Amino acid sequence: MGGKAFAHPPHSLSTPRIPHTIYVLLRDKYICVLSRFYQNVASPIEAPEKASYGDIDILVSEPHPTTTIQSLSQALDAKTSISTSGSPSTSFAISFPDYSDKYIQLDIHVCPKSTFTWELFTASHGDLWNLLGTSLRGFGLTANNVGLNLRIAEIEHLDRRRSMLFLTSDSTSVLDLMGLDVQKYWRQFANVNELYEYVISTRFFRKDSYVREGLKSNDRKRMGKRPLYQQFVDDWLPQRVGVEEQSEVVELTRESVLVEVLDRYGKKEEYKETLRTWRKGRADLQARQQNKEQRRAEAIAEAEYADAWIEASQLAGI
C-alpha cells in the first residue's frame, strides 16, 4: 500500500518513510516474529539504490492453527491493523523506533502454499517484473500471481480470462525460458543500471515494446506510479547503445514461442482441448443466435401476414 494505509480517518496516523538501515533491522525482526505464526515467511528482494521505504512487505503461507489477527497484533505490538474482506493482505501500524507519534506500516500478504515461492519470485526487485512482463506480452505470455500463462490468440480478443492457459510456476524454468541468469536473479542488484541490463538480456526483449506511444494503457498508468519503469522507458533505454542489435540476434514470433512453450511444458493436448471447447461453445452460441434470429424473422413474417389478411378482409367487407 506504499505506506499510506493509515493516513486517512479513522486512523490518521503518520507513517514516514523508513531509512534503509532501520528498514533492514525491522524487516528481519518482523520475519523472526512471524516465523512463530507461519510455516513460510520471507520478504521480497528489494529494488536497488533505495534510500528509504514506504512500508515493509512480508509474504507468508501456511498459518499455524492458533494464528489470528489479534495474536499477530499482540506479538508485533501493533497499535491497529487494517484488513479488507476477501483480501489476502493485512496492514499493521507499529510504533516507529524512538518516536511516540509515528508508525511503521507492515503489510503481511498471505499466499496459498502452492504459490508462495512464485509470488516471492515475482514480487522481488520492485518493478522488475513489470518491465519483464512488457517483453513477454508481445509473445503471448503473461505472468500473474499463480504462474506463467499462455494467452491463446484465437480466444484472447473475445475473452482474455478464458484465453489463459497455465504453463508453470517453476521460477527457475521461467528464467531459463527467458534466457535470464538464475543466480543473478536471487541476489539484490547492485544498482539500477544492473537491473536494467538484466531486463534487456532476456531473449524476449524488443526495444519497440517500450516506446511510450505504443504502450498498453496499464503500462502508461504504471509510468506515472512507478519511477523505475518510467526512467527505463524515457531515459535509460533511449540512451543505451547497441540495444537494437542485441534485440535482433534471434528472431522470435508469437507462433514460434507458442510451439516452444507447449512442447516445453507438455501442454499440447490441453491447448488443443481448450481450443476445441472454445470453438464448440462459439459454434453452439452462433447456432442459438441464428435460431433466435430465425424465430424472430418467422414471428415478424407471421405478424405481417396476419396484418395483411386483416387489411384484405376489411377491404373485402368480410
Side-chain angles (χ1 to χ4, degrees), residues 58-77:
I58 297 180
L59 276 60
V60 299
S61 72
E62 298 185 82
H64 297 163
T66 56
T67 299
T68 63
I69 298 297
Q70 291 72 26
S71 63
L72 290 173
S73 293
Q74 184 175 3
L76 293 165
D77 195 22

Side-chain angles (χ1 to χ4, degrees), residues 106-287:
L106 170 64
D107 291 341
I108 300 176
H109 181 80
V110 182
C111 310
K113 177 183 177 181
S114 59
T115 64
F116 176 79
T117 302
W118 174 262
E119 292 193 56
L120 181 65
F121 169 66
T122 54
S124 291
H125 308 293
D127 292 328
L128 175 59
W129 262 98
N130 287 327
L131 288 163
L132 292 175
T134 300
S135 286
L136 288 174
R137 190 180 302 120
F139 294 96
L141 300 174
T142 294
N144 58 16
N145 65 312
V146 175
L148 183 68
N149 302 269
L150 169 72
R151 300 190 317 278
I152 301 175
E154 182 178 324
I155 304 175
E156 181 182 6
H157 69 289
L158 291 173
D159 192 328
R160 182 179 173 85
R161 184 184 63 80
R162 292 183 63 186
S163 76
M164 303 279 264
L165 177 66
F166 174 80
L167 296 174
T168 184
S169 60
D170 184 326
S171 59
T172 300
S173 176
V174 170
L175 291 175
D176 183 60
L177 171 70
M178 299 178 71
L180 293 171
D181 188 301
V182 176
Q183 291 186 338
K184 280 186 179 180
Y185 191 93
W186 289 112
R187 63 169 176 77
Q188 188 174 25
F189 291 103
N191 49 56
V192 171
N193 184 71
E194 186 181 16
L195 183 147
Y196 288 161
E197 290 288 346
Y198 191 79
V199 170
I200 69 171
S201 70
T202 174
R203 67 192 184 103
F204 292 111
F205 175 79
R206 297 295 180 270
K207 186 177 180 179
D208 290 347
S209 299
Y210 296 88
V211 176
R212 179 184 274 268
E213 291 73 19
L215 292 174
K216 298 288 187 181
S217 60
N218 286 344
D219 289 332
R220 290 196 298 272
K221 291 176 183 177
R222 192 173 289 124
M223 293 272 284
K225 299 178 181 178
R226 301 291 188 177
L228 203 65
Y229 193 101
Q230 180 269 328
Q231 181 185 340
F232 178 81
V233 173
D234 287 344
D235 303 327
W236 190 88
L237 192 56
Q239 298 175 26
R240 172 62 162 80
V241 177
V243 172
E244 292 84 356
E245 292 79 3
Q246 180 172 326
S247 67
E248 293 170 3
V249 172
V250 179
E251 278 301 323
L252 291 174
T253 65
R254 181 165 181 170
E255 292 71 26
S256 68
V257 171
L258 167 66
V259 173
E260 179 183 352
V261 297
L262 291 180
D263 182 63
R264 175 187 281 258
Y265 297 112
K267 295 287 183 173
K268 291 180 181 178
E269 291 306 314
E270 187 175 350
Y271 173 79
K272 292 177 182 177
E273 181 58 32
T274 300
L275 270 179
R276 278 195 294 265
T277 301
W278 169 259
R279 288 168 179 169
K280 183 180 184 303
R282 292 292 298 172
D284 290 345
L285 176 61
Q286 289 174 354

Side-chain angles (χ1 to χ4, degrees), residues 286-305:
Q286 289 174 354
R288 289 196 297 271
Q289 289 175 336
Q290 289 174 354
N291 289 337
K292 184 178 180 180
E293 290 172 0
Q294 183 177 352
R295 290 195 299 271
R296 182 171 178 271
E298 291 174 351
I300 291 173
E302 289 177 1
E304 290 176 345
Y305 176 82

